[in-house]
């Protein structure tokens, strides 16, 4: 059974940083591309970033380029999202998903982790 558990969210002031983690189990993590998506209050899911299976390829939505970094540790079956220079518009529930930019599947995502950027 695929299981993804997100953690690391919280309340942070504008300009602050957070590091999200996603612990994966139930599938061969190292062979799968992975993705972060987010859902802001009252809005639909927004794709944020994806990473290739070996970590060599990464892509980002324009609004987070230069501020967020996606990475993974295949030995630990864990996906990360380092978020710097956070803005109020980054406030959302963040989910990790199995798959890449064009084929991620949120049906097996976890409960997500809340990120709130506010002064």
């Amino acid at each position: 059974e695929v299981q993804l558990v997100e953690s690391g969210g919280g309340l942070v002031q504008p300009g602050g940083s957070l590091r999200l983690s996603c612990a994966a189990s139930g599938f061969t993590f190292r062979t799968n591309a992975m993705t972060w998506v987010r859902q802001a209050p009252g809005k639909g899911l927004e794709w944020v970033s994806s990473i290739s299976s070996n970590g060599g390829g990464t892509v980002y939505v324009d609004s987070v380029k230069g501020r967020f970094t996606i990475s993974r540790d295949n030995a630990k079956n864990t996906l990360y999202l380092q978020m710097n220079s956070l803005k109020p518009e980054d406030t959302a529930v963040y989910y990790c998903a199995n798959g890449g930019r064009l084929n991620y599947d949120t049906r097996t995502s976890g409960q997500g982790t809340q990120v709130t950027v506010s002064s």
Side-chain angles (χ1 to χ4, degrees), residues 38 46-47 60-65 67-68 87 90:
R38 65 186 179 184
E46 177 187 29
W47 169 78
Y60 302 90
V61 66
D62 285 348
S63 60
V64 308
K65 282 181 182 176
R67 300 188 298 120
F68 290 12
K87 304 176 180 181
D90 295 318

Side-chain angles (χ1 to χ4, degrees), residues 15-80:
S17 298
L18 284 173
R19 188 194 196 201
L20 306 185
S21 298
C22 170
S25 61
F27 65 103
T28 308
F29 180 77
R30 67 181 183 277
T31 64
N32 284 34
M34 294 294 295
T35 289
W36 285 100
V37 298
R38 65 186 179 184
Q39 186 165 24
K43 297 187 177 181
L45 278 176
E46 177 187 29
W47 169 78
V48 175
S49 180
S50 297
I51 187 168
S52 62
S53 58
N54 66 0
T58 58
V59 289
Y60 302 90
V61 66
D62 285 348
S63 60
V64 308
K65 282 181 182 176
R67 300 188 298 120
F68 290 12
T69 303
I70 190 172
S71 62
R72 63 192 297 160
D73 186 336
N74 285 346
K76 295 182 178 180
N77 286 359
T78 303
L79 176 72
Y80 303 101

